[in-house]
Amino acid sequence: MRTVVGHADLKTELKGLEAPIGFVPTMGFLHAGHISLVQRARQECRAVVVSIFVNPSQFGPKEDLAAYPRDLPRDLAMLKAAGTDLVWTPTPESMYPPGFQTWVTVEALTCGLEGEQRPGHFRGVATVVTKLFNAVAPQRAYFGQKDAQQAAVIRRMTRDLDLPIEIVICPTLRESDGLAMSSRNSYLSPAERTAASVLYRALSAARDAHTQGEHRAEVLRRIMQETLAGEPLAEPEYVSCADAESLQEVEQVSGKTLLSMAVRIGRTRLIDNINLD
Ligand code: AMP
């Protein structure tokens, strides 16, 4: 496994890799969810490239950029064990040099949900992913369903900008109590960690009601809210029952539907979702 920092070294190392290249962009502090994307890329591609970059432009001024967890030696050991060929760890200065002023914005898809709670977040995501794609020029790129709106935004952007990259969305990996794996779970105290399983319980309760024939979105949202209300440490930011493509809220569940939520557990903001078919 090779590790590079600069764009020039990246270019040199990429010349030695065979296509198709599978690319996994991450912000590091890796867990089994990230590794599942690497493994999928390993199965489907001749070479696997992973980036580790905590992208400043997708964090709001009051968000956790400075506190975001980092452990590069551990990340590199995990990536090596998973069969990664090349790791790229660009610096903020190289990605956003003085004078940088060009942004990629995806419109309607970023208005609700995370986009509403985190203004500017998806502009930062779409811009950095475009830059990472341009530098690595992969044939395939792997993203997690865990960040469902991000996945939808990247897919839309790739289509709209005619990027010749296949976007592969991989299932959410969960802890044994259902909590979606996330680098931010490391912020949770033991009591908060126990409470955090309420997100998946709320999503599961709504999914079970849907399986039993409940198609009214309002009722499914209420089931999620009531489950969350049963956990004193949970402060919901939003719960949503939306069309899985457009991410617009629906009245009735018909076709592919996304149940999603953002919940604060203490000072930690967690998101999760599941698809209803
Ligand atoms: P991040 O480092 O949080 O930016 O995540 C990098 C990639 O890993 C994104 O495509 C995420 O959606 C994906 N990811 C994060 N958590 C999980 C998980 N629990 N299961 C599957 N993929 C995940």
Side-chain angles (χ1 to χ4, degrees), residues 65-83:
L65 173 61
Y68 198 82
R70 296 162 203 244
D71 189 345
L72 187 59
R74 183 168 151 273
D75 290 348
L76 295 179
M78 290 170 77
L79 292 174
K80 190 172 178 193

Side-chain angles (χ1 to χ4, degrees), residues 25-28 31 33-34 36-37 68 142-147 150 170-173 180-183:
T26 81
M27 298 207 299
H31 50 67
H34 297 109
S36 73
L37 308 190
Y68 198 82
Y142 294 80
F143 293 87
Q145 173 65 24
K146 158 74 169 40
D147 299 284
Q150 170 174 281
C170 305
T172 302
L173 250 75
M181 289 182 185
S182 165
S183 307

Side-chain angles (χ1 to χ4, degrees), residues 82-99:
T84 307
D85 295 290
L86 179 59
V87 182
W88 181 32
T89 60
T91 61
E93 297 73 27
S94 71
M95 294 297 273
Y96 300 104

